[in-house]
Amino acid sequence: MTVAVTGIGVVSAFGHGVEPFWRGLTAGACGLRPIRRFEVPAGVALGGEVPPLGRRELVLTAIGRRIDWLSLMALAACRLALVDAGLAPGTLAPARTGLGFGSAWGNLHETAAFLDRLFARGQGNPFLFPNLVFNAPLSYASIELGITGPTAMLSAGEASGEAALAWGAEQVAEGAVDVCLAGGADELGAVLHQVLREGRLLARAAPRPLDPAADGACPGEGAAVLVLEPLARARARGGRIHARLVAAPGFAVPAPVHGWARDPVPLAEGLADTLSDADVVFATASGRPELDTLEAAALARALDGRRAAVTAVRGALGDFGAAGGLAAAAAALAVSTGVVPPTVGLVPPARAGLDVVTGAARPGRVRVAAVDGLARGGLCRPLRLEAV
């Protein structure tokens, strides 16, 4: 069964909704700003913060009054995606609607606050504890939207968003649901920033994905959700179709448990079929030299001399586990609009001689946009967004 993408909902450093997201990406803008939510050392303060969201407009149930920031971003992306798809939550059949989220870290801010109090006083705040459970975003969104069909919360590191989208596509393709909302969310937190700083993974200024001179990434946050439906159902109701989603088989290559693979050859071999006819590849690249070196070499080998365009969204929005969900949203929009957004921060030439889009957006027909879906530990969860 063909899986259609009929709605896109995004909250990002560019703002709320698909319009500011796509406008910022295609303009080559950078959403990274000095971090205001928590204290950071001078000189390493850039990050991709999502602007405040209105709880009263998003949360309609009594239980949702205690919603955390991560869950609020995920819920906002769901509601925005449904609006984009022309679907009201009340019109969905609860048992025939699915929901899948991916997150690398889960709740960071309240987890740190709970543990700080626990260590200081010997007792954590019990009202915070439910929000610390990893599937809290899934629970809040399913309650708020009245979804009782299949649900799943997945964590796959940097490929968390792609993993959730692949799960959602499977539910639709197998006929388990009529509609599935799938995507990912991650939040900024002081603890994450500290980990990145101590690991010397932070860029000294703005990141430069796929640039040989890049010296690190900048952290970010956000959420992206796609509405997935059978193509026939979407056409029957007159829904707009951005693209069709094909989840390529996921695979793993040898790598340290918490590190990136070192050999690009098996990665290239695993990606070769997915990229064989892709017009553009949305890369995982974030400006981390170890990742970008591996990925550039793997893409060049997998493309085997073919000049497919390459771009990366993390330079504009920051690096976080579920950023692949935003890359998938951008890939769907590239297919539907025929525009490939540029990679922010790269000063050509790019690593491995790749045809990375820089400066201005590149117009042209996009039949296939691939998201390569790399993660530490050797995981790869690629997706294809194709023209219908």
Side-chain angles (χ1 to χ4, degrees), residues 82-358:
L82 288 171
V83 170
D84 188 61
L87 294 170
T91 65
L92 301 175
R96 294 289 301 168
T97 304
L99 179 64
F101 279 143
S103 180
W105 301 103
N107 182 316
L108 289 174
H109 176 72
E110 291 187 352
T111 298
F114 180 89
L115 293 175
D116 286 345
R117 175 171 162 169
L118 179 65
F119 295 144
R121 304 184 188 181
Q123 181 180 2
N125 183 348
F127 292 108
L128 286 185
F129 187 78
N131 290 346
L132 313 189
V133 179
F134 189 71
N135 69 341
L138 187 80
S139 301
Y140 276 119
S142 60
I143 291 170
E144 288 289 330
L145 301 174
I147 293 173
T148 62
T151 61
M153 189 80 194
L154 300 96
S155 184
E158 290 78 6
S160 293
E162 294 94 328
L165 286 164
W167 178 88
E170 182 180 14
Q171 303 308 303
V172 174
E174 293 183 350
V177 296
D178 298 324
V179 177
C180 189
L181 286 78
D186 270 301
E187 69 175 347
L188 273 171
V191 63
L192 175 60
H193 195 277
Q194 184 71 12
V195 168
L196 293 173
R197 184 172 70 88
E198 291 180 355
R200 298 180 181 179
L201 299 173
L202 285 173
R204 296 187 183 94
R208 300 166 65 176
L210 297 172
D211 191 317
D215 62 354
C218 283
E221 66 180 0
V225 170
L226 305 186
V227 176
L228 309 177
E229 301 179 64
L231 178 61
R233 182 185 188 277
R235 283 176 169 164
R237 71 174 183 85
R240 177 179 55 182
I241 300 167
H242 292 285
R244 78 167 186 162
L245 173 62
V246 179
F251 62 94
V253 299
V257 174
H258 301 295
W260 296 99
R262 298 187 177 95
D263 185 356
V265 174
L267 185 59
E269 292 173 349
L271 286 170
D273 287 345
T274 299
L275 306 186
S276 62
D277 59 347
D279 299 297
V280 58
V281 180
F282 282 78
T284 307
S286 63
R288 297 186 187 187
E290 185 180 10
L291 162 61
D292 291 11
T293 301
L294 166 74
E295 185 174 27
L299 291 180
R301 187 179 182 93
L303 291 170
D304 195 24
R306 196 169 63 83
R307 297 293 290 175
V310 177
T311 192
V313 304
R314 283 172 167 86
L317 301 171
D319 186 22
F320 54 101
L326 278 71
L333 290 165
V335 170
S336 63
T337 64
V339 177
V340 177
T343 299
V344 174
L346 168 64
V347 179
R351 290 181 183 273
L354 293 174
D355 180 20
V356 180
V357 181
T358 60

